[in-house]
Amino acid sequence: MLGQLALFLQQAQYSERIMFLPPSPLMIVPILSSLTTLIVIVFNIKSKSYKDTFGKMVIGISASGFLFSFSKWIGSVFPPTIQASCKILQAIAQFGLVSEVIWGAAFGHAFLTISQTYTLETISNKIKYYFFFSVLIPFGLAFGSIFTDLVEISETSGECVNRIKLGQFDYLFLIFMTLPITGSILLSCFFYFKAARNIRNFVIDSNPSYLFVLVIYPAISIICWLPITTVNVLNYFGVTVSPTVATSCQAIDQSQGLIDSIVYGLSKSALRIAVQSMCICFKRVPSESNIQVSSDLNSPSRRHTRSQIENSEWELEHKAV
């Protein structure tokens, strides 16, 4: 009797965030995400795209997405029942998640760099730093979380949960999850929108549809993570969110791998064409040619420069085909 009373009082003082979705139709989301990211990885390896700078980045973000989504649906199908398996499986998911959002920021920084330097060589020189931050920071956070009470087996439901004491700030979840995710999303948005502004200011003759390609990626992280981030913020202030709403938000964030696979994988060739076109448009005309771009759109020199750009883009498109 006293034990049941103590358990009831404990339930009234804590709110539990389930880390792995219970078996339901929503499980199709992480399953599809893991399958599509794995397909992208295999395709890029077989096509030897890993030799290309952007190919390496695509494989990096796809591998991170695979680890996150695969560990999530494994934890749903085979729920961890002891503390060790709960912490280790969540650490794997955390590594994949944080690595994926950092890779998103790396893509943003890459496009910002291209919009400023107009050359691909600078990205090749930075790829090692992208891998360094996308692996080291997530690994440190994931490994450190194993030795904390970030997640544990619930005494009431037996599920792997993040326990939140009502009325108290959840510093562990803030440090290990919220800060790296939110920080990476903000950096990604900053890099992409600044790159889009540079392109809008300097590109004269390039296809404006490329601007959409360059700014679409931050929306992936925002759409996938804004709902669950809102739920987490409400939990920080002691507001209990409906389990159905929280579970739906978790399903949305686990769809990021699926969306990343479509955008980063299937659009990779179009992305390369866009970047190369930027380099052609931004390329400085050699001084010995004495070609000056006049502010008059109908001037002979302007028409000559436009013709050069159009011919270069035509050759690029047919070479890509």
Side-chain angles (χ1 to χ4, degrees), residues 205-207 277 280-281 309-317:
D205 295 290
S206 65
N207 191 333
S277 297
I280 290 175
C281 294
I309 295 173
E310 290 172 357
N311 290 337
S312 299
E313 291 180 338
W314 184 89
E315 292 175 358
L316 176 64
E317 293 173 354

Side-chain angles (χ1 to χ4, degrees), residues 42-273:
V42 173
F43 174 79
N44 278 275
I45 292 177
K46 291 190 66 175
S47 62
K48 297 183 178 181
S49 297
Y50 58 85
K51 296 181 180 180
D52 176 75
T53 299
F54 283 107
K56 294 176 182 176
M57 297 178 69
V58 169
I59 291 177
I61 193 171
S62 298
S64 300
F66 173 77
L67 285 176
F68 173 59
S69 55
F70 181 76
S71 59
K72 282 297 184 180
W73 76 261
I74 285 294
S76 298
V77 177
F78 307 102
T81 56
I82 60 175
Q83 297 286 6
S85 60
C86 171
K87 291 179 180 293
I88 292 175
L89 194 59
Q90 173 57 29
I92 296 173
Q94 181 183 352
F95 173 83
L97 163 60
V98 177
S99 179
E100 189 175 22
V101 293
I102 292 179
W103 268 118
F107 270 90
H109 183 267
F111 283 116
L112 175 61
T113 303
I114 291 174
S115 71
Q116 293 173 334
T117 62
Y118 323 137
T119 177
L120 293 173
E121 283 73 13
T122 54
I123 304 304
S124 300
N125 297 332
K126 295 181 185 298
I127 187 69
K128 57 184 177 181
Y129 299 108
Y130 296 155
F131 272 98
F132 178 80
F133 286 108
S134 298
V135 173
L136 183 63
I137 294 177
F139 178 80
L141 291 172
F143 185 76
S145 68
I146 296 177
F147 304 98
T148 68
D149 295 328
L150 177 66
V151 294
E152 55 187 290
I153 297 295
S154 172
E155 297 178 358
T156 56
S157 64
E159 296 179 296
C160 185
V161 300
N162 166 241
R163 179 175 290 183
I164 309 163
K165 189 171 183 179
L166 299 180
Q168 289 191 4
F169 204 81
D170 190 356
Y171 290 101
L172 285 176
F173 200 86
L174 175 70
I175 295 172
F176 287 100
M177 299 290 288
T178 304
L179 284 181
I181 293 172
T182 305
S184 298
I185 292 175
L186 291 176
L187 282 175
S188 180
C189 291
F190 171 77
F191 291 145
Y192 275 111
F193 284 111
K194 188 171 182 179
R197 186 180 63 179
N198 291 342
I199 296 169
R200 188 176 298 276
N201 289 339
F202 291 102
V203 173
I204 300 174
D205 295 290
S206 65
N207 191 333
S209 64
Y210 292 156
L211 296 178
F212 174 77
V213 176
L214 295 175
V215 302
I216 190 62
Y217 301 109
I220 299 174
S221 296
I222 295 174
I223 293 174
C224 290
W225 286 100
L226 183 60
I228 193 64
T229 302
T230 303
V231 171
N232 293 336
V233 170
L234 293 175
N235 287 332
Y236 288 146
F237 292 97
V239 179
T240 303
V241 179
S242 166
T244 302
V245 174
T247 302
S248 300
C249 292
Q250 282 183 294
I252 293 174
D253 71 54
Q254 292 175 21
S255 69
Q256 184 177 359
L258 174 62
I259 302 175
D260 282 343
S261 299
I262 296 173
V263 176
Y264 289 111
L266 301 182
S267 300
K268 189 167 75 73
S269 60
L271 187 60
R272 182 185 289 113
I273 293 174

